[in-house]
Amino acid sequence: MNENQLAENLMYYRKKKGLMSWIFIGISVLCILAYIIHSAITDIFSVGIFICMFILCIPIQLFLHIYFSNAIKNNSFNGIAGFDDKIEYNIFEVKKLLVQIDLHIGSMSTIYIFLLCVINGMNLKMQWFNGVLIVAYILNFTTSIEMSNYKMIDKIYRREDDRKRAKRSIPVTAIFSLILCVGIGMAVIVFEIKGIENNTLPAMKICGLLLLGIMSATTGFLFENSKIKKWNPANANYRTNKVSIISLLICAIMYGLMCVG
């Protein structure tokens, strides 16, 4: 198959998937409008729930779709996390990957917005489940992207050294994402079990410990990624950065203090 045929196939594939993404965006908007109207009539409107649905729909679902579409159309990928001009990519496969990620984010966002709309619109008194949904969304969001990248590594990168660095960085990103979700989930559970109210000293303490844990984990994540980028697979085996291990231990201590404090 020559380059012209590949380009035509990609254009057809992109238009087909792009249409589906716009359909998902439309459904999400309708769910939000339905929640606003129904909750206003029944006097159960929640600003927090509206903000959650709005963020999933507009900054994430809509803006990412527009950004990915423009990146694919204009062959401009510099703003995409992880893209490096110094690396030799198979651009055709990169575009296919972005289309797949775009469609998955669109469908996933619509499902979670619908669930938030139904659970809160029916006033099922399951406020705790909203936190579970948001954490699940974050975990699904990051995991799906990492899995998609992992499956496409051999096709995206032209050089073997770049493939090895990419394979090494994916577990690091996955662990970091899991740490974030665990921390947020633990905070929600502690708030619910202990009946901690917002704007109180215990609430500020929990949030402070969570923030310190996340900051520590982020420090380790950045150090580890920096080391991976400098690693030359041809000269030495990779060893985990000591700073990353210490950062994880500090993060675990902060998370533990949230539970016992």
Side-chain angles (χ1 to χ4, degrees):
M1 186 177 293
N2 58 41
E3 293 185 1
N4 290 333
Q5 289 176 319
L6 289 173
E8 290 176 1
N9 289 342
L10 177 60
M11 184 175 296
Y12 171 78
Y13 183 73
R14 179 168 63 87
K15 286 182 178 179
K16 183 178 179 181
K17 301 299 182 181
L19 177 61
M20 288 299 301
S21 294
W22 280 113
I23 291 174
F24 284 127
I25 292 170
I27 295 173
S28 296
V29 172
L30 289 176
C31 287
I32 294 174
L33 292 175
Y35 171 75
I36 293 173
I37 295 171
H38 175 74
S39 60
I41 294 174
T42 57
D43 196 26
I44 58 171
F45 180 76
S46 170
V47 176
I49 298 304
F50 169 74
I51 291 175
C52 287
M53 292 194 292
F54 178 84
I55 291 174
L56 295 187
C57 180
I58 305 302
I60 297 179
Q61 189 176 8
L62 177 60
F63 287 177
L64 279 182
H65 173 62
I66 294 174
Y67 185 81
F68 283 169
S69 297
N70 287 334
I72 294 170
K73 181 179 179 180
N74 300 319
N75 289 324
S76 177
F77 310 101
N78 291 327
I80 297 175
F83 190 87
D84 189 345
D85 286 332
K86 298 177 182 179
I87 295 176
E88 294 182 17
Y89 294 96
N90 185 335
I91 298 300
F92 177 79
E93 297 297 336
V94 171
K95 290 182 178 182
K96 282 179 62 178
L97 174 62
L98 291 181
V99 171
Q100 293 172 9
I101 292 175
D102 178 34
L103 183 61
H104 180 79
I105 291 174
S107 60
M108 178 181 64
S109 298
T110 300
I111 291 172
Y112 279 85
I113 289 172
F114 174 77
L115 291 174
L116 287 171
C117 176
V118 171
I119 291 172
N120 294 278
M122 295 178 65
N123 199 21
L124 298 176
K125 306 295 183 181
M126 296 174 62
Q127 284 78 9
W128 61 271
F129 195 62
N130 295 324
V132 173
L133 281 177
I134 297 302
V135 172
Y137 178 87
I138 296 172
L139 189 58
N140 191 324
F141 183 93
T142 54
T143 302
S144 61
I145 292 177
E146 292 300 323
M147 289 300 296
S148 297
N149 275 281
Y150 184 78
K151 292 177 181 178
M152 296 287 285
I153 282 178
D154 292 333
K155 296 181 179 179
I156 290 176
Y157 299 95
R158 294 183 180 277
R159 297 188 306 187
E160 183 62 27
D161 285 356
D162 293 328
R163 296 191 189 105
K164 289 182 178 180
R165 292 189 190 96
K167 289 179 179 179
R168 174 62 63 177
S169 66
I170 283 180
V172 174
T173 305
I175 292 173
F176 175 69
S177 301
L178 181 61
I179 289 172
L180 293 183
C181 292
V182 169
I184 296 172
M186 287 177 63
V188 171
I189 292 172
V190 170
F191 268 81
E192 289 295 328
I193 292 177
K194 296 187 176 182
I196 299 175
E197 297 182 359
N198 296 330
N199 302 320
T200 62
L201 186 59
M204 289 187 284
K205 181 180 178 181
I206 296 298
C207 292
L209 290 170
L210 174 63
L211 182 60
L212 288 174
I214 290 176
M215 288 175 60
S216 178
T218 302
T219 300
F221 172 72
L222 294 176
F223 268 94
E224 198 67 22
N225 264 346
S226 177
K227 185 177 180 181
I228 290 173
K229 288 181 179 180
K230 298 175 183 178
W231 173 49
N232 186 348
N235 293 336
N237 294 326
Y238 185 82
R239 292 184 179 181
T240 303
N241 195 316
K242 292 181 180 179
V243 175
S244 302
I245 297 175
I246 295 172
S247 298
L248 285 178
L249 290 174
I250 295 174
C251 178
I253 292 172
M254 294 300 106
Y255 283 3
L257 290 174
M258 283 196 305
C259 299
V260 302

